Amino acid sequence: MKANGEKFAVITAYDFTFSKLIETAAIEVVLVGDSLGNVVQGRDSTLPVTIDDMAYHTEAVKRGNNRALLMTDMPFMSYATEVQALDNAAILMQAGAQMVKLEGGAWLADTVYLLSQRGIPVCGHVGLTPQSVHKLGGYKVQGKEDQAAELMIADALALEDAGAELIVVECVPSALGKQLAEALTIPVIGIGAGPDTDAQVLVLHDMLGISQRLPRFSKNFLEEQTCIQDAITAYGAAVRDGTFPAPEHCFK
């Protein structure tokens, strides 16, 4: 799809029922996100989420999904060492995941290579990495300075070279999102990264407008629809035709 210039949609799911709705809406990729800590468990961050939590929700989503690529987040401190990463990635793959996602830059290259060589597809995640929220000093836009932007591109290229097959970039200026999509041969999935990435991802609860606080980069697709099914379908269509994200959802 990237080679053909076709955009695709990614959305989070945490249970069987929504997984079935997403499948009917023909969304290309489903992410079992550690954002479940916020929207399902009521936590103030993703840090308390465990590997057992992720495996449980992956199993539930898998039961409702027979079409989309199913990707699962590896939670906080579940890949601090290479051995730990292998063990925990195996748990998620056996629960039904077809790819795992890890947050971090070039320091993860050896881990990504190890997982990839052992048959575990990997998605990287750069920019705002929620598991590092305390290190970053909050949920702030990343890569605004030239040096930080260059480092982020170098990190993404290192992950691609190590074997990553997708990259998520979160909360960066639109210009940097475009640079990343152009620099990498693998698809770049944006969230708050502008309209020029190869795909977009949103948290399910955000795009339905039922989160406690709607992030600037999100849109309530349920406002213009009569049911949840139509809202999810509208989100996918808006990503594919390039009408989402609009300028008001982007960072300069």
Side-chain angles (χ1 to χ4, degrees):
M1 293 184 77
K2 174 161 183 162
N4 293 332
E6 301 174 32
K7 295 183 182 293
F8 61 91
V10 186
I11 194 169
T12 65
Y14 314 100
D15 63 21
F16 169 81
T17 301
F18 276 104
S19 182
K20 291 298 291 183
L21 291 176
I22 290 166
E23 180 172 63
T24 303
I27 301 295
E28 287 84 0
V29 182
V30 174
L31 170 64
V32 184
D34 59 359
S35 49
L36 68 87
N38 305 103
V39 299
V40 176
Q41 297 177 337
R43 313 273 192 178
D44 59 5
S45 75
T46 64
L47 272 62
V49 177
T50 67
I51 195 71
D52 289 339
D53 292 334
M54 297 308 302
Y56 171 86
H57 286 276
T58 298
E59 289 175 351
V61 172
K62 174 61 179 174
R63 294 185 192 109
N65 174 61
N66 295 294
R67 179 186 177 278
L69 174 68
L70 181 55
M71 179 164 62
T72 298
D73 274 334
M74 296 192 67
F76 179 65
M77 292 302 289
S78 67
Y79 48 99
T81 68
E82 292 177 13
V83 171
Q84 191 181 30
L86 277 174
D87 290 344
N88 287 321
I91 290 171
L92 298 180
M93 296 293 286
Q94 289 171 337
Q98 296 166 314
M99 176 178 279
V100 297
K101 182 167 77 65
L102 297 78
E103 297 180 7
W107 65 271
L108 271 175
D110 288 344
T111 297
V112 171
Y113 178 79
L114 194 66
L115 293 175
S116 182
Q117 288 296 303
R118 282 153 180 79
I120 300 173
V122 176
C123 176
H125 185 149
V126 297
L128 173 60
T129 47
Q131 292 176 15
S132 303
V133 61
H134 297 308
K135 184 71 173 177
L136 297 174
Y139 297 98
K140 301 176 180 179
V141 178
Q142 303 296 305
K144 292 189 291 185
E145 297 80 22
D146 289 345
Q147 185 175 2
E150 291 170 5
L151 178 59
M152 196 180 303
I153 294 171
D155 279 340
L157 287 169
L159 295 175
E160 179 181 50
D161 289 343
E165 298 179 69
L166 292 172
I167 294 283
V168 168
V169 57
E170 181 170 355
C171 282
V172 302
S174 295
L176 179 53
K178 182 178 181 180
Q179 285 180 285
L180 282 161
E182 292 174 347
L184 274 65
T185 58
I186 60 175
V188 175
I189 302 168
I191 177 167
D196 297 306
T197 54
D198 305 297
Q200 300 291 330
V201 58
L202 285 181
V203 170
L204 175 69
H205 294 59
D206 290 345
M207 60 81 56
L208 293 176
I210 57 175
S211 295
Q212 294 299 305
R213 184 182 65 85
L214 192 66
R216 172 181 170 174
F217 53 73
S218 189
K219 176 183 175 180
N220 179 359
F221 281 86
L222 189 55
E223 276 186 330
E224 301 169 358
Q225 305 297 327
T226 57
C227 67
I228 290 172
Q229 179 73 78
D230 289 348
I232 298 171
T233 301
Y235 162 66
V239 171
R240 293 183 205 102
D241 67 21
T243 56
F244 178 81
E248 62 267 25
H249 307 123
C250 303
F251 301 105
K252 296 183 178 179

